[in-house]
Amino acid sequence: MIRVSLLLLALLAPMTAAAQGTLATVPSRHSVADTLARLVKDIEGKGLKVAARIDHAAGAKAAGMELPPTMVVIFGNPKLGTPLIQAHPSIAIDLPMRLLVWQDKAGKVWIGYTPPSTLQARHGVTSEANVAALRTMATALDAIAKAAAN
C-alpha cells in the first residue's frame, strides 16, 4: 500500500508542479470582499487604472447556480502594456493584468494571477525592454497580492 501511495505521489508531482506554474497563488487572511477592497486600494494607490471587476458568483446566481465568492479585478498601466502589445499583438489577450480572488471549498481565500513569465513564453517576448516590462509587472503583481493578503 505504501509503495502504491509513493508511486501515485511520484506520478502526480509533475502535474501538480505544472499546474502551479500557470497560476501564482497567495493565501489571504481576509474575506474575498475585504481582499478585493485592499487590492483595489493598493492598485489605485500605485497610480494604476482599474479597468473592470468581474463578480463570477453574481453571474452564477443570475443563472440560477451557486458559486463561492469569486472576483477578478482587471487593471493596468497603458504606458507599460502598450509597447508589449505593439511588439506582440497576441499578448493583448492577457493584458491588462488580472488578479483573481476566490474562496475555496474549505472557506480559505486565495489571490491568484498568471505569472508574467508565462506570458513571456506564451507570446515569444524576447526583447530586453519587453522582458523588463514583464518583470516590472511580475514585481507589481506579487507586491499587490502580498499586501492585500496580509
Side-chain angles (χ1 to χ4, degrees):
M1 183 68 166
I2 293 173
R3 282 186 181 168
V4 172
S5 297
L6 290 175
L7 178 60
L8 284 173
L9 283 174
L11 290 173
L12 292 175
M15 290 187 286
T16 302
Q20 289 174 345
T22 61
L23 188 69
T25 58
V26 177
S28 178
R29 297 179 3 194
H30 310 283
S31 68
V32 169
D34 289 345
T35 300
L36 186 69
R38 293 169 63 91
L39 285 171
V40 169
K41 182 178 179 183
D42 195 27
I43 288 166
E44 292 175 342
K46 290 184 181 340
L48 302 171
K49 181 177 176 10
V50 173
R53 297 178 205 194
I54 301 167
D55 185 341
H56 287 287
K61 186 175 182 179
M65 296 183 280
E66 290 185 27
L67 190 64
T70 306
M71 300 284 297
V72 175
V73 62
I74 301 172
F75 66 98
N77 175 350
K79 288 184 180 183
L80 188 61
T82 300
L84 282 164
I85 296 169
Q86 288 172 330
H88 304 276
S90 65
I91 204 167
I93 192 73
D94 292 308
L95 295 177
M97 294 180 284
R98 298 166 179 85
L99 286 162
L100 166 65
V101 183
W102 80 97
Q103 180 180 313
D104 67 18
K105 292 178 182 181
K108 179 73 183 144
V109 175
W110 296 89
I111 302 169
Y113 60 90
T114 301
S117 59
T118 301
L119 305 184
Q120 180 181 350
R122 182 182 299 156
H123 301 286
V125 177
T126 57
S127 80
E128 213 172 293
N130 289 334
V131 170
L134 289 172
R135 277 195 302 269
T136 298
M137 289 178 186
T139 300
L141 285 163
D142 185 59
I144 292 166
K146 287 179 178 173
N150 295 312

